[in-house]
C-alpha cells in the first residue's frame, strides 16, 4: 500500500471531464472571474451539498477528460478540509491516492453538471442563478467573516485643546479626558478660513491617536493633504506632512489610486434583514450622490445589490471562494435586471457606468484590515459625484463594521476603551447630504470605541442636520466665524448664542470658545 497523506493529496494531479471544463470556463467568463481552481471548488462543493453516501458517482469509462490541476492549486491552503469533506461523503473512505483522485474528479464532474442544470433552469440569467445558489445555503450556519479586531486602548486618554491649551484669563493649562465616563468622545471644531480649526483638530487627533496608538481615517474632500498620490508638505508645518501628526499614515488619491476596501462587506453570521439594510444603504448613498429621481430604477438598483449579497453568502462558506462585490458587478447586474423588467438603465445606469469606469475601488481588504491602518483619503482630483459616492461608501463600510462589533470595555473607573478615530475635514461636503452612515457613527460608535471629529468652517454647515450633531459632540470648539446664524450652537453651549460671541473682536487669533465634557464653556488659547 502506498503512502497516503495530505502532502500526497497536494501533489496529485486532478482532471475535470471536458464537458465540465467547458461549462465552468463559461461560468468564469460571465459570473465568477478567477482561476480554474475557483470554479472547480464551487463545483465540488455543489456536488457534496447534494449527495447521499453510497451514491455511485463514477465517471464512465471513455469519457473525454480536460486539463489537469495540481492539488496544491486546486485546494489551496484548505486541503485538509476538502479531504475530510470528500472522504466523509464516501461509503468507504479512500485508502489509496488513486481512489481519492477518482472521488475528487467524480464530484467535480457531477457538481459541474448540477451547476449547468441550475443555470439552464433559470434560463441562463446570472442574477437568478446567484439567487438559486444563495437559496442552497443551510439556515443557521456560521459564515466566516472579518474577525480581525481593532487595536484597543484602555484607561483615560488625557488631552489638551490644541498645542497650547491655555486659559487666557488665569494662564493655566487646560486638560480633559476624551473618554471619561458618561460623555461623548466626539469632537467638532468650527472656524472660518485661516482661523486654525484644522491645525487644532489635527493636533487633538495627534494626541488621541498617539496616546492610544489608534488607527485613524482622515477624509480629505478637497485634497488639502494629498496630491498626486503623495502626502503634501505644508509650509505652516515647517515643511512637514501629515506623517508628523499620524506616523505611518498612508495616502490615497482618489480616483488616481483606488481605495482597497471591500465596501459591501458582510458581517459574520449575517441575516436577511442585515443584507437588506446593506442594500438599502447602498441605494441611499447612490441616490444622495447623484440626486436622481426614479423610484422604479432605484429599487432595481437595491434589488441588484441585495441579490449579489445573497449570492455571495454561498461563497462565504468556503473562504477561498469569498469574493468582494465590485461596482462593475453591480453595474452588470443592474443592466441585466433592468432588461429583464423591460426597463432601460436610464440616467442611473449611465451615472453608475461613468463612476464605475473611474475604478475608485479595488476591494482587496476587509474593513477589519483597512480600518486597522492609518489612512488619509484625498479627493482633490475627483469630480463631485464620484467623490461623494466614494466617501459615502467608505462611511457605509465603517458604520457596518462598527455596528458588527460588541461594545468596547470600560475600565474600573468607567473610562471607555478606544478603538478608532475618524476625522472629516471640510465636513460640510457630507453634512449637507444628511448621510445615514455618518449620523449612525455619531450616534452609536462611541459605545463601540469610536471617535468622530468634524472640522468645518461655519455653524451653518450643521444647521441642515436633523440629528443635531453638535449636541452629540462631547467637545465643541469654535474659533471666529463668518456664519449668518449660530442658532445650532445653542444646544451645544447650553445657552442662547449670538453671532457677536464669535467675532474677531471677541475671539482673537488662536482663541476658541470651547465647551468641554462636563464643564462650562470657556475661552481657550489653542495656538500661538
Amino acid at each position: 500500500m502506498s503512502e497516503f497523506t495530505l502532502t500526497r493529496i497536494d501533489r496529485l494531479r486532478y482532471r475535470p471531464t471536458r464537458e465540465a471544463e467547458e461549462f465552468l470556463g463559461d461560468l468564469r467568463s460571465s459570473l465568477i472571474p478567477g482561476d480554474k481552481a475557483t470554479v472547480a471548488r464551487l463545483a465540488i462543493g455543489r456536488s457534496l451539498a447534494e449527495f447521499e453516501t453510497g451514491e455511485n458517482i463514477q465517471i464512465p469509462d471513455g469519457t473525454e477528460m480536460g486539463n489537469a490541476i495540481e492539488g496544491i492549486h486546486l485546494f489551496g491552503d484548505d486541503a485538509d478540509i476538502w479531504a475530510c469533506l470528500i472522504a466523509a461523503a464516501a461509503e468507504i473512505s479512500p485508502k489509496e491516492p488513486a481512489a481519492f483522485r477518482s472521488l475528487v474528479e467524480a464530484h467535480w464532474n457531477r457538481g459541474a453538471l448540477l451547476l449547468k442544470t441550475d443555470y439552464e433552469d433559470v434560463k441562463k440569467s446570472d442574477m437568478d442563478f446567484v439567487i438559486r445558489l444563495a437559496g442552497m445555503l443551510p439556515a443557521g450556519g456560521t459564515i466566516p467573516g472579518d474577525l480581525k479586531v481593532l487595536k484597543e486602548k484602555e484607561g483615560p486618554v488625557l488631552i489638551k485643546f490644541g498645542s497650547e491649551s491655555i486659559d487666557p484669563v488665569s494662564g493655566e493649562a487646560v486638560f480633559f479626558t476624551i473618554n471619561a465616563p458618561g460623555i461623548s468622545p466626539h469632537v467638532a471644531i468650527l472656524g472660518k478660513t485661516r482661523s486654525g480649526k484644522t491645525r487644532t483638530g489635527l493636533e487633538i487627533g495627534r494626541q488621541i491617536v498617539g496616546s492610544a496608538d489608534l488607527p485613524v481615517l482622515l477624509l480629505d474632500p478637497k485634497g488639502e493633504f494629498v496630491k498626486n498620490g503623495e502626502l503634501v508638505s505644508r509650509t505652516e508645518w515647517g515643511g512637514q506632512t501629515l506623517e508628523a501628526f499620524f506616523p505611518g499614515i498612508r495616502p490615497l488619491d482618489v480616483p488616481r489610486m483606488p481605495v482597497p476596501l471591500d465596501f459591501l462587506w458582510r458581517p459574520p453570521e449575517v441575516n436577511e434583514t442585515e443584507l437588506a439594510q446593506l442594500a438599502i444603504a447602498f441605494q441611499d448613498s447612490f441616490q444622495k450622490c447623484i440626486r436622481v429621481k426614479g423610484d422604479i430604477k432605484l429599487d432595481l438598483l437595491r434589488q441588484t445589490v441585495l441579490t449579489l449579497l445573497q449570492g455571495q453568502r454561498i461563497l462565504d462558506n468556503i473562504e477561498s471562494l469569498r469574493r468582494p462585490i465590485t461596482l462593475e458587478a453591480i453595474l452588470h447586474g443592474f443592466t441585466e435586471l433592468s432588461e429583464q423588467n423591460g426597463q432601460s438603465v436610464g440616467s442611473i445606469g449611465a451615472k453608475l457606468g461613468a463612476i464605475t469606469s473611474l475604478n475608485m475601488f479595488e476591494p482587496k481588504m476587509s474593513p477589519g484590515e483597512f480600518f486597522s491602518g492609518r489612512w488619509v483619503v484625498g479627493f482633490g482630483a475627483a469630480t463631485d459625484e464620484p467623490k461623494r459616492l466614494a466617501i459615502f461608501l467608505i462611511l457605509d463600510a465603517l458604520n457596518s463594521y462598527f455596528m458588527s462589533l460588541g461594545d468596547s470595555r470600560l475600565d474600573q473607573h468607567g473610562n471607555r476603551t478606544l478603538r478608532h478615530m475618524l476625522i472629516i475635514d471640510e465636513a460640510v461636503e457630507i453634512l449637507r447630504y444628511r448621510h445615514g452612515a455618518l449620523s449612525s457613527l455619531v450616534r452609536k460608535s462611541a459605545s463601540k470605541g469610536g471617535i468622530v471629529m468634524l472640522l468645518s468652517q461655519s455653524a451653518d454647515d450643521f444647521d441642515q442636520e436633523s440629528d443635531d450633531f453638535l449636541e452629540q459632540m462631547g467637545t465643541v470648539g469654535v474659533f471666529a466665524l463668518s456664519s449668518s446664524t449660530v442658532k445650532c450652537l445653542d444646544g451645544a453651549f447650553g445657552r442662547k448664542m449670538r453671532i457677536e460671541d464669535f467675532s474677531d473682536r471677541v475671539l482673537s487669533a488662536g482663541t476658541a470658545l470651547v465647551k468641554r465634557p462636563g464643564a462650562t464653556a470657556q475661552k481657550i488659547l489653542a495656538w500661538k
Side-chain angles (χ1 to χ4, degrees):
M1 182 179 294
S2 60
E3 184 182 10
F4 184 44
T5 65
L6 288 179
T7 301
R8 182 67 172 151
I9 288 171
D10 281 352
R11 292 176 181 174
L12 291 173
R13 294 178 63 80
Y14 305 86
R15 295 188 300 168
T17 63
R18 182 66 68 186
E19 184 179 7
E21 186 176 56
E22 289 176 355
F23 171 71
L24 295 176
D26 293 340
L27 205 59
R28 285 173 58 210
S29 63
S30 64
L31 188 61
I32 308 177
D35 57 25
K36 290 192 294 185
T38 298
V39 288
R41 289 192 295 269
L42 179 61
I44 296 169
R46 175 68 179 90
S47 178
L48 290 170
E50 192 175 306
F51 179 73
E52 294 183 7
T53 302
E55 185 178 347
N56 185 0
I57 59 167
Q58 291 182 349
I59 298 174
D61 292 339
T63 301
E64 186 179 1
M65 304 300 286
N67 297 313
I69 301 178
E70 192 172 7
I72 186 64
H73 302 299
L74 178 60
F75 299 123
D77 295 330
D78 299 319
D80 51 349
I81 297 175
W82 284 104
C84 291
L85 290 172
I86 292 165
E91 186 173 19
I92 301 176
S93 297
K95 301 295 192 297
E96 297 282 345
F100 181 80
R101 178 171 54 203
S102 295
L103 284 174
V104 171
E105 292 176 349
H107 279 296
W108 191 347
N109 179 64
R110 180 176 183 271
L113 297 181
L114 287 172
L115 289 170
K116 186 177 182 181
T117 300
D118 295 333
Y119 197 49
E120 290 171 349
D121 284 349
V122 297
K123 299 179 181 179
K124 299 184 178 181
S125 165
D126 288 349
M127 298 292 288
D128 291 338
F129 180 61
V130 167
I131 292 173
R132 187 182 181 104
L133 294 182
M136 297 176 187
L137 182 69
T142 299
I143 300 172
D146 185 358
L147 302 180
K148 186 178 179 70
V149 178
L150 296 170
K151 184 179 293 185
E152 298 184 347
K153 167 62 179 179
E154 292 186 349
V157 176
L158 193 67
I159 65 168
K160 302 185 298 181
F161 189 84
S163 57
E164 299 297 324
S165 197
I166 295 173
D167 184 326
V169 176
S170 66
E172 296 180 350
V174 179
F175 296 89
F176 60 99
T177 302
I178 197 70
N179 60 336
I183 67 165
S184 166
H186 304 323
V187 181
I189 302 180
L190 289 68
K192 63 184 179 180
T193 303
R194 305 193 71 80
S195 64
K197 68 176 184 304
T198 300
R199 172 180 176 177
T200 301
L202 293 178
E203 171 58 28
I204 293 174
R206 183 193 67 77
Q207 296 175 54
I208 296 172
V209 170
S211 173
D213 192 22
L214 294 181
V216 63
L217 172 65
L218 196 164
L219 297 180
D220 177 21
K222 291 190 175 180
E224 298 288 335
F225 309 116
V226 180
K227 187 174 182 180
N228 296 325
E230 302 288 340
L231 295 174
V232 173
S233 299
R234 305 286 291 266
T235 55
E236 62 267 37
W237 301 343
Q240 294 181 307
T241 69
L242 277 177
E243 181 85 23
F245 295 92
F246 310 114
I249 195 166
R250 290 179 283 176
L252 290 172
D253 190 1
V254 180
R256 290 189 177 98
M257 304 166 66
V259 180
L261 169 67
D262 181 359
F263 60 88
L264 273 177
W265 170 81
R266 286 90 51 209
E269 300 184 14
V270 66
N271 58 43
E272 284 296 322
T273 299
E274 291 164 335
L275 289 180
Q277 290 172 340
L278 285 172
I280 291 170
F282 183 91
Q283 177 197 37
D284 182 61
S285 290
F286 191 82
Q287 183 178 21
K288 282 180 166 58
C289 158
I290 64 175
R291 291 186 166 183
V292 295
K293 296 181 179 179
D295 292 341
I296 294 176
K297 289 187 174 63
L298 280 170
D299 192 60
L300 289 178
L301 182 63
R302 178 195 61 78
Q303 291 180 46
T304 298
V305 175
L306 178 58
T307 299
L308 290 170
L309 286 166
Q310 290 170 332
Q312 288 298 304
R313 291 203 307 174
I314 194 168
L315 300 183
D316 288 347
N317 273 351
I318 305 172
E319 191 64 24
S320 60
L321 295 182
R322 197 178 203 277
R323 293 188 178 276
I325 296 170
T326 63
L327 286 173
E328 289 83 355
I330 295 171
L331 174 60
H332 177 79
F334 176 72
T335 302
E336 186 174 84
L337 190 59
S338 296
E339 291 173 352
Q340 290 177 13
N341 285 269
Q343 297 277 329
S344 67
V345 296
S347 60
I348 291 178
K351 293 287 188 180
L352 182 58
I355 291 173
T356 298
S357 69
L358 295 175
N359 191 35
M360 295 189 302
F361 285 89
E362 193 173 288
K364 296 180 178 179
M365 302 175 71
S366 65
E369 293 169 324
F370 183 80
F371 295 122
S372 290
R374 293 179 180 174
W375 302 91
V376 52
V377 188
F379 297 90
T383 53
D384 287 344
E385 288 177 349
K387 172 172 65 177
R388 286 197 295 269
L389 183 60
I391 291 174
F392 292 164
L393 293 183
I394 291 170
L395 291 176
D396 283 339
L398 179 61
N399 179 61
S400 176
Y401 180 61
F402 254 108
M403 295 309 109
S404 75
L405 301 175
D407 287 354
S408 64
R409 297 186 299 275
L410 301 176
D411 69 10
Q412 60 181 340
H413 301 294
N415 298 300
R416 175 73 64 180
T417 297
L418 298 179
R419 285 172 168 160
H420 184 271
M421 185 167 196
L422 167 68
I423 303 174
I424 303 179
D425 192 32
E426 300 296 343
V428 65
E429 296 271 342
I430 304 171
L431 291 171
R432 64 170 63 134
Y433 296 99
R434 300 189 178 187
H435 186 242
L438 179 58
S439 175
S440 177
L441 286 166
V442 169
R443 288 184 291 110
K444 300 177 182 179
S445 71
S447 65
K448 311 288 186 178
I451 301 177
V452 177
M453 179 185 291
L454 302 177
L455 309 175
S456 208
Q457 293 187 20
S458 172
D460 302 341
D461 301 342
F462 291 84
D463 232 2
Q464 304 170 71
E465 278 297 335
S466 57
D467 277 341
D468 200 351
F469 279 7
L470 291 178
E471 284 195 37
Q472 298 181 58
M473 297 285 154
T475 302
V476 178
V478 185
F479 292 92
L481 295 173
S482 55
S483 303
S484 60
T485 176
V486 292
K487 183 179 179 180
C488 65
L489 293 172
D490 293 353
F493 284 91
R495 60 185 174 88
K496 185 174 180 59
M497 307 304 295
R498 305 171 304 158
I499 294 178
E500 292 78 12
D501 295 328
F502 305 100
S503 66
D504 291 313
R505 182 177 57 81
V506 175
L507 297 175
S508 58
T511 301
L513 184 62
V514 182
K515 176 63 176 71
R516 294 178 292 132
T520 58
Q522 69 178 120
K523 292 181 183 179
I524 296 178
L525 179 65
W527 58 271
K528 291 182 180 179

